[in-house]
Amino acid sequence: MSNAGEILAARERRRNIVTGISMKDGAVTVRANIPGPDKGIAESYLIVRHFASIMADIIAAKPVLLDGADGPAVIFDSEPEGIKRIAVELEEKHEIGRFVDIDVFGKNCDKSVSRGYMRKCYICGQPAFVCSRNKTHPTERLLTVLRSYTRSYFSKKVAQCVKEGLMDELNLENKFGLVTPTSRGSHKDLNYDVMQYAQSAIIPYLTEMFFIGLDANEPGQIMERIRKKGISAEKAMYAATNGANAYKGFIFVGGVLLSAAGYTLGRASGNVFANVEKICADILGDFEKYPDSFGAQAYKTMGVTGVRGHAIAGFPVVEKAMKMIEDDESSKNLLKTLAYVVGEIDDTVLLKRSGDVETYRRYKELISTVSTDDDKAVSALTDDCVAHNISIGGSADVLAAAIMMKKLSKLFYCDFS
Ligand SMILES: [Zn+2]
């Protein structure tokens, strides 16, 4: 929290920067409209990042994020024709537009272009400046309303990113023994519909993990809290699938990444993968707690740390997969990325189904080196996997998580590194 003097000084600094930019080319700034002395609350960063993404698409330019005692702001160094009308429309009509200020500065001008309308108070609908001047509503009440609306909005948006990540993966065909729209692959207890029942069951818990990260004061608090959600998510999944494991791995990978994303996006800066490392620092201890699990056995007998090992390292393979996906979410590129992931990680699903290390290594090699552009080769290898009950569930979880993170990075204009 900052005092009034610090806020004023920060505001002055920002004005000088904006004026410097706008005198040359005009400028557009995006800020959150936060009541009270603490302008840097987590919601403030979410709002600014989200509208930065919307405006970046419209303006077709990259913004700069400024941070100070008066809260975060992004600045675009251009002012395209008609942008004021679009800005006003967003403020007036977007579901959470009332919580954002989008100011347009004309070229050679040190003042923002007038809105041309009075902003309304988001509690009583009176002109906002009147309620602000008369202190009509207690700050706490204003903040509660703001939090409730923005959280409800971003819950829907984050859930949508998770859903799309899972569906983009599920919709790929010829996937080396995984479930697809037309095949159960090597999973007799699953199919396309059951996978979607499982998705609907787990997505609310995963979305909550994003907000657990957002609300944490430090990464060390997060694991214990998301673990509880993870257990509830597993229970809901098994209830939805009649006991089949559809997404146990994803609940872990996706959940850790979502909590790290929430933690990272709710502050000025930070690297999401570095935060994953901090969140997961202590999880190898799980093998001592659950010595009979397959993961613990694989660790003991083969030194394979599986998904926990990747988590401790900060999921570098998710970061690499995101770079491979870039802006190409075509099924060809996603399949290529999946094959790459198989080569990069210890996939304990593949290990378990292979039965021995030699078979595991052979399939790992076959899948990671197949030419994914060659439909016939991919199809033949998939038939071989199904005939031998092979699957790469661990790698599929990583791919779905990487796609989900790409969607989140678009939602909040953040490259996460
Ligand atoms: Zn009011």
Short mmCIF file of all heavy atoms in Angstrom, two decimals, residues 120-128 130-132 136-137 142, ligand 1:
data_model
loop_
_atom_site.label_atom_id
_atom_site.label_comp_id
_atom_site.label_asym_id
_atom_site.label_seq_id
_atom_site.Cartn_x
_atom_site.Cartn_y
_atom_site.Cartn_z
N LYS A 120 -20.02 6.44 -14.88
CA LYS A 120 -20.98 6.23 -13.79
C LYS A 120 -20.35 5.43 -12.66
O LYS A 120 -19.51 4.56 -12.89
CB LYS A 120 -22.18 5.43 -14.33
CG LYS A 120 -23.11 6.26 -15.17
CD LYS A 120 -24.33 5.41 -15.52
CE LYS A 120 -24.99 5.91 -16.78
NZ LYS A 120 -25.47 4.81 -17.62
N CYS A 121 -20.79 5.73 -11.45
CA CYS A 121 -20.39 4.96 -10.29
C CYS A 121 -20.88 3.53 -10.47
O CYS A 121 -22.01 3.32 -10.89
CB CYS A 121 -21.03 5.57 -9.04
SG CYS A 121 -20.98 4.50 -7.59
N TYR A 122 -20.03 2.52 -10.13
CA TYR A 122 -20.47 1.17 -10.41
C TYR A 122 -21.30 0.56 -9.29
O TYR A 122 -21.68 -0.59 -9.34
CB TYR A 122 -19.34 0.25 -10.86
CG TYR A 122 -18.07 0.24 -10.06
CD1 TYR A 122 -18.01 -0.38 -8.82
CD2 TYR A 122 -16.92 0.83 -10.56
CE1 TYR A 122 -16.83 -0.40 -8.11
CE2 TYR A 122 -15.73 0.82 -9.86
CZ TYR A 122 -15.69 0.20 -8.63
OH TYR A 122 -14.53 0.18 -7.93
N ILE A 123 -21.61 1.38 -8.29
CA ILE A 123 -22.55 0.89 -7.28
C ILE A 123 -23.93 1.51 -7.45
O ILE A 123 -24.93 0.81 -7.52
CB ILE A 123 -22.00 1.14 -5.86
CG1 ILE A 123 -20.81 0.20 -5.63
CG2 ILE A 123 -23.08 0.90 -4.81
CD1 ILE A 123 -20.26 0.17 -4.25
N CYS A 124 -23.98 2.86 -7.57
CA CYS A 124 -25.30 3.49 -7.58
C CYS A 124 -25.68 4.10 -8.92
O CYS A 124 -26.83 4.52 -9.11
CB CYS A 124 -25.38 4.54 -6.48
SG CYS A 124 -24.35 5.97 -6.83
N GLY A 125 -24.74 4.16 -9.88
CA GLY A 125 -25.09 4.69 -11.20
C GLY A 125 -25.06 6.21 -11.30
O GLY A 125 -25.26 6.77 -12.37
N GLN A 126 -24.80 6.91 -10.17
CA GLN A 126 -24.63 8.37 -10.21
C GLN A 126 -23.31 8.68 -10.92
O GLN A 126 -22.46 7.80 -11.07
CB GLN A 126 -24.55 8.92 -8.77
CG GLN A 126 -25.82 8.79 -7.96
CD GLN A 126 -26.93 9.69 -8.48
OE1 GLN A 126 -26.71 10.88 -8.68
NE2 GLN A 126 -28.09 9.09 -8.74
N PRO A 127 -23.10 9.95 -11.36
CA PRO A 127 -21.79 10.28 -11.91
C PRO A 127 -20.69 9.90 -10.92
O PRO A 127 -20.79 10.21 -9.73
CB PRO A 127 -21.86 11.80 -12.10
CG PRO A 127 -23.31 12.08 -12.27
CD PRO A 127 -24.03 11.08 -11.42
N ALA A 128 -19.67 9.22 -11.41
CA ALA A 128 -18.64 8.66 -10.51
C ALA A 128 -17.95 9.74 -9.69
O ALA A 128 -17.65 9.52 -8.51
CB ALA A 128 -17.63 7.87 -11.33
N VAL A 130 -19.08 12.42 -8.47
CA VAL A 130 -19.92 12.87 -7.35
C VAL A 130 -19.75 11.93 -6.15
O VAL A 130 -19.48 12.36 -5.03
CB VAL A 130 -21.41 12.96 -7.76
CG1 VAL A 130 -22.26 13.33 -6.55
CG2 VAL A 130 -21.60 13.96 -8.88
N CYS A 131 -19.87 10.63 -6.42
CA CYS A 131 -19.72 9.65 -5.33
C CYS A 131 -18.31 9.69 -4.75
O CYS A 131 -18.11 9.54 -3.55
CB CYS A 131 -20.01 8.23 -5.84
SG CYS A 131 -21.74 8.01 -6.29
N SER A 132 -17.34 9.92 -5.64
CA SER A 132 -15.95 9.96 -5.20
C SER A 132 -15.73 11.19 -4.31
O SER A 132 -15.12 11.09 -3.24
CB SER A 132 -15.06 9.99 -6.44
OG SER A 132 -13.76 10.35 -6.09
N THR A 136 -19.40 8.70 -1.00
CA THR A 136 -20.71 8.07 -0.79
C THR A 136 -20.60 6.62 -0.33
O THR A 136 -21.36 6.15 0.49
CB THR A 136 -21.53 8.12 -2.10
OG1 THR A 136 -21.45 9.44 -2.63
CG2 THR A 136 -22.98 7.74 -1.88
N HIS A 137 -19.62 5.88 -0.91
CA HIS A 137 -19.50 4.46 -0.58
C HIS A 137 -18.16 4.18 0.09
O HIS A 137 -17.14 4.69 -0.37
CB HIS A 137 -19.60 3.60 -1.85
CG HIS A 137 -20.67 4.06 -2.80
ND1 HIS A 137 -22.00 3.88 -2.55
CD2 HIS A 137 -20.59 4.73 -3.98
CE1 HIS A 137 -22.70 4.41 -3.55
NE2 HIS A 137 -21.87 4.93 -4.42
N LEU A 142 -16.65 -0.72 -2.30
CA LEU A 142 -16.29 -0.58 -3.71
C LEU A 142 -15.37 -1.71 -4.15
O LEU A 142 -15.55 -2.30 -5.21
CB LEU A 142 -15.60 0.77 -3.95
CG LEU A 142 -16.50 2.01 -3.85
CD1 LEU A 142 -15.66 3.27 -3.62
CD2 LEU A 142 -17.34 2.17 -5.11
ZN ZN B 1 -22.20 5.76 -6.22
#
